[in-house]
Amino acid sequence: MNPHFSAETPERPQPKSLYAQVDFIETLGEGLALVGFDGVDTEWFAEFTERYGLNDNAASANANACEEFFREAPLFHLQLTMFFDEANRRFRPRTKHWLLLEISDEGQLFGQLYPTLFSPAQTVEFNAFRLPLMNRRSQQLNTFALLPAQTSMPQTRPTPLHIEELAVLDVGQGSANALLCREGIARIYFDVGCGVYRNAATRPPNISFCQCGDPVVVLSHWDADHWAAAAVDTDLLTRTWIAPIPETIKHIVFLMNIWAAGERRFCSALRALFASALGSSSFVAEDLQVTAMSQA
């Protein structure tokens, strides 16, 4: 698994700069917003592209390059608070567009840098510049933002799957819910998140998800606190996942870690039929009850 998703902080120096994408712009109230960036160390990426000969105009990443990138790329997450209008003006997310974040003592912006999902923040000063879409680095980075082909779903006759209870799991500042069958076994997890980054301290110490019913994981969206528990209970990576199309390099690297973990089905669209994703089972909810459950 890529070190960014590790519960232990990897020993790596603070980067001088990042190639980054906007992860989110979140309203905080009173005209403020929290902006999150996902990025990769520029020095590492320069050495990586040189080693694999990707600086040639006609070069493309081979299977070994892709595997190393998804496994080893030094990813970082950076957050800063600013006025909401300015955040939208400067950092409105754009597909396949990249930023250069230069970290220095003379930076005009102040943020919190996270080497991993669960590590303490490092306060940094930085400047942000947009890279042109046709910039060589933008094109190289977008090479690793391609998704694998979706797995086809079985087209067999469905059998009933009766869901009788919704369990809301205590995972700290995050989302994790279980749909339980008549026997009280989780058959579907709707989000498997937990506290991350500035909310990492809210994560219970021993997160574990029952998987005896071979549950499917349905992901509502790619905010890290909706999927990060799978980096703690890594058996979740071997489940079948249904999720929206990922938007940043961090999401895609995590997706590829799912892909590599168990070679299970992954369907990148929430509109996929539950009947297909659940191993040819129809979905029936009768007298659904809601229960709060602790993961501590």
Side-chain angles (χ1 to χ4, degrees):
M1 179 177 290
N2 186 281
H4 185 75
F5 310 123
S6 172
E8 299 181 0
T9 305
E11 295 183 4
R12 58 166 56 117
Q14 178 177 294
K16 296 179 181 178
S17 56
L18 299 171
Y19 295 124
Q21 296 170 300
V22 179
D23 184 15
F24 60 79
I25 298 178
E26 178 183 314
T27 303
L28 296 177
E30 298 183 352
L32 297 176
L34 182 69
V35 183
F37 303 94
D38 292 329
V40 60
D41 187 327
T42 58
E43 289 188 345
W44 180 90
F45 191 73
E47 186 276 331
F48 170 81
T49 55
E50 180 68 26
R51 180 155 43 88
Y52 279 100
L54 300 181
N55 291 329
D56 297 334
N57 291 334
S60 60
N62 59 30
N64 290 335
C66 291
E67 181 180 354
E68 180 178 339
F69 184 88
F70 296 131
R71 185 183 64 248
E72 303 292 345
L75 303 178
F76 292 83
H77 181 77
L78 193 153
Q79 296 182 356
L80 78 154
T81 301
M82 62 193 313
F83 288 112
F84 183 80
D85 289 344
E86 182 183 3
N88 271 313
R89 178 177 59 83
R90 295 187 61 178
F91 301 123
R92 179 172 57 86
R94 301 176 184 176
T95 304
K96 295 185 178 181
H97 282 73
W98 292 80
L99 297 162
L100 174 63
L101 306 183
E102 294 185 343
I103 299 172
S104 74
D105 294 338
E106 299 178 354
Q108 301 297 309
L109 300 170
F110 295 83
Q112 303 295 313
L113 183 69
Y114 297 89
T116 77
L117 292 171
F118 309 111
S119 59
Q122 306 168 12
T123 300
V124 296
E125 301 173 37
F126 68 100
N127 291 311
F129 309 94
R130 282 201 177 273
L131 293 179
L133 183 59
M134 298 308 294
N135 177 275
R136 183 182 65 176
R137 287 297 190 223
S138 293
Q139 293 179 321
Q140 290 170 338
L141 288 158
N142 285 329
T143 298
F144 298 96
L146 298 176
L147 293 174
Q150 297 183 35
T151 303
S152 60
M153 293 298 167
Q155 300 297 321
T156 55
R157 185 177 179 84
T159 55
L161 174 62
H162 294 275
I163 297 297
E164 295 194 350
E165 192 170 5
L166 168 64
V168 181
L169 309 181
D170 178 9
V171 291
Q173 180 59 47
S175 172
N177 311 278
L179 297 177
L180 311 179
C181 65
R182 291 172 175 173
E183 293 76 24
I185 297 173
R187 300 303 303 273
I188 304 168
Y189 284 114
F190 188 76
D191 291 340
V192 285
C194 63
V196 295
Y197 300 133
R198 64 176 185 161
N199 295 314
T202 68
R203 173 175 62 94
N206 299 310
I207 291 181
S208 180
F209 289 75
C210 174
Q211 297 174 52
C212 58
D214 193 21
V216 170
V217 176
V218 179
L219 188 63
S220 61
H221 61 284
W222 280 99
D223 281 3
D225 58 2
H226 286 245
W227 51 260
V232 181
D233 186 351
T234 54
D235 286 342
L236 287 169
L237 299 175
T238 66
R239 303 295 101 207
T240 295
W241 285 61
I242 304 174
I245 295 173
E247 298 178 352
T248 76
I249 196 66
K250 178 182 68 181
H251 307 157
I252 292 171
V253 170
F254 187 73
L255 182 157
M256 296 309 298
N257 280 263
I258 296 171
W259 200 269
E263 298 182 355
R264 297 297 294 264
R265 296 190 303 270
F266 181 94
C267 183
S268 59
L270 279 178
R271 64 178 179 272
L273 296 176
F274 271 102
S276 297
L278 294 173
S280 305
S281 297
S282 61
F283 177 70
V284 181
E286 299 177 348
D287 300 325
L288 191 65
Q289 299 179 355
V290 178
T291 302
M293 300 178 66
S294 174
Q295 286 285 315

